[in-house]
Amino acid sequence: MLVDSPPEQRAETAPAPPTHRAIRVLGLFASVALLVLVALASIAIGAKSLPLGDVWHGLFHDSGTYADVVVGDRISRTVLGLLAGAALGLSGAVLQALTRNPLADPGLLGINAGASAAVVTAITYFGVTSLTGYVWFAFAGAAVVGALVWFLGGSRGATPVRLALAGTAISAALYGYLQAVMIMDDAALSKMRFWTVGSLASATGSTITQVAPFFAVGTVVALLLARPLNAVAMGDDTARALGANLSRTRALAMLSATVLCGAATAACGPIVFVGLMVPHVVRSFTGPDLRWILPYATILSPVLLLSADVLGRLIARPAELQVGIVTAIIGGPVFIYLVRRRRTAQL
């Protein structure tokens, strides 16, 4: 593995006391309630103001009026935000556990950039225009970049700093490639300028239907890895002593993160920092046990994504600010704070 785990992860993860377990279960229910409220806000609030009565009518009737169409679009947008947010948060939590680096993130490690570059290539040079066509390009790009970052970071001897540097370098190169393609091809620019910043605005029922199976498979695999990843977090020797299959756990973890991140990027474009912030916040009150981190991240990540999407609609009315821009604005200062806090803790 990459680096020594923190002291609290070196000891075997003991079962939580009954009181703590009950509090965490109640916390999960509270998180679900918060998610429902944010989802309702996402449907009720938009760049175009609608009376609540029209919103209510649009939820349960489809008479073809303008308000009903707007509400229908918001519902698709909200559902995609739920799926993509859960995928990004879950993939971030898995990568943090796999690398034993609490600052790991699909965006910071270049996986988002790899998926984006592959999709842009498919659209520009292969004429692929449907999600069904370019979702496979997104998966391939995410997988190739993930493997390349792992190799450049030193493989088994990698450190979090080397992985971050490798991911940053590859991301910069790939985003430079994206900008070059869009500058040279006006048609490509018109197709990709919103997608490349990350947005939920183009969500449709067809989009959700096409990516939902990938979200489902990636989520199930990730959640089933909670116990093996707990063992991996204790170090290779301890994990082997506990009977964990390190090669299989690592392969499945990378597979689940790639599928989740690839599907989210294909559907929404690259959205950064969600996979970094939420697992980090969750870990602060659940501890290092992934049996709690993964479910909480699955629920709270869509809360962040949908809240950022609603905020983007409100602050730029009657236009809107893409959710990828909002999460980047929020995530930048948060990332700096996390790095400084971690550095202070190591001194």
Side-chain angles (χ1 to χ4, degrees):
M1 290 301 295
L2 304 180
V3 294
D4 290 336
S5 57
E8 66 270 15
Q9 289 186 333
R10 292 177 185 155
E12 182 175 354
T13 303
T19 303
H20 291 175
R21 190 178 301 113
I23 293 174
R24 290 172 179 173
V25 171
L26 290 175
L28 282 176
F29 282 110
S31 299
V32 171
L34 178 61
L35 180 59
V36 171
L37 291 176
V38 172
L40 291 175
S42 177
I43 296 172
I45 301 172
K48 298 178 180 178
S49 180
L50 288 178
L52 289 179
D54 290 348
V55 173
W56 180 263
H57 184 274
L59 282 172
F60 299 101
H61 303 87
D62 186 10
S63 56
T65 64
Y66 170 78
D68 293 345
V69 171
V70 171
V71 172
D73 290 342
R74 290 181 188 174
I75 292 174
S76 297
R77 183 171 182 159
T78 300
V79 173
L80 182 59
L82 293 172
L83 294 175
L88 293 171
L90 197 53
S91 62
V94 167
L95 287 174
Q96 289 175 13
L98 181 65
T99 62
R100 283 185 285 176
N101 176 10
L103 300 181
D105 167 79
L108 294 175
L109 294 184
I111 295 178
N112 278 345
S116 302
V119 171
V120 168
T121 300
I123 294 173
T124 305
Y125 297 110
F126 297 100
V128 179
T129 57
S130 68
L131 177 63
T132 306
Y134 63 65
V135 68
W136 299 107
F137 284 87
F139 291 145
V144 169
V145 170
L148 185 59
V149 168
W150 184 270
F151 173 76
L152 293 178
S155 300
R156 290 179 178 271
T159 64
V161 173
R162 294 177 67 180
L163 285 173
L165 289 174
T168 300
I170 293 174
S171 295
L174 290 176
Y175 282 126
Y177 163 75
L178 295 178
Q179 295 300 318
V181 170
M182 289 189 289
I183 289 173
M184 293 186 297
D185 189 338
D186 291 337
L189 174 61
S190 64
K191 294 178 183 177
M192 298 180 300
R193 61 196 180 102
F194 290 110
W195 185 86
T196 53
V197 297
S199 174
L200 300 175
S202 59
T204 64
S206 175
T207 302
I208 295 168
T209 301
Q210 290 171 349
V211 298
F214 300 104
F215 286 135
V217 171
T219 299
V220 170
V221 172
L223 292 176
L224 290 176
L225 288 174
R227 286 181 179 273
L229 284 174
N230 271 341
V232 168
M234 302 172 198
D236 289 5
D237 293 337
T238 303
R240 291 191 187 97
L242 293 173
N245 187 322
L246 294 178
S247 298
R248 182 177 63 188
T249 300
R250 288 170 179 154
L252 289 175
M254 285 299 296
L255 175 64
S256 65
T258 299
V259 169
L260 290 169
C261 184
T265 303
C268 310
I271 298 175
V272 297
F273 287 117
V274 174
L276 167 67
M277 287 187 287
V278 176
H280 209 89
V281 171
V282 167
R283 193 179 295 107
S284 67
F285 60 83
T286 65
D289 192 346
L290 287 158
R291 292 172 297 178
W292 293 103
I293 292 175
L294 296 183
Y296 267 104
T298 304
I299 297 170
L300 292 179
S301 296
V303 171
L304 172 61
L305 187 62
L306 289 177
S307 297
D309 191 40
V310 172
L311 181 62
R313 297 181 229 172
L314 289 175
I315 62 179
R317 277 182 170 179
E320 64 178 74
L321 198 61
Q322 281 71 33
V323 66
I325 297 175
V326 178
T327 57
I329 292 172
I330 297 173
V334 171
F335 180 65
I336 293 172
Y337 167 75
L338 293 177
V339 171
R340 289 182 61 84
R341 190 179 71 170
R342 181 170 173 79
R343 181 182 177 185
T344 301
Q346 291 176 342
L347 293 178

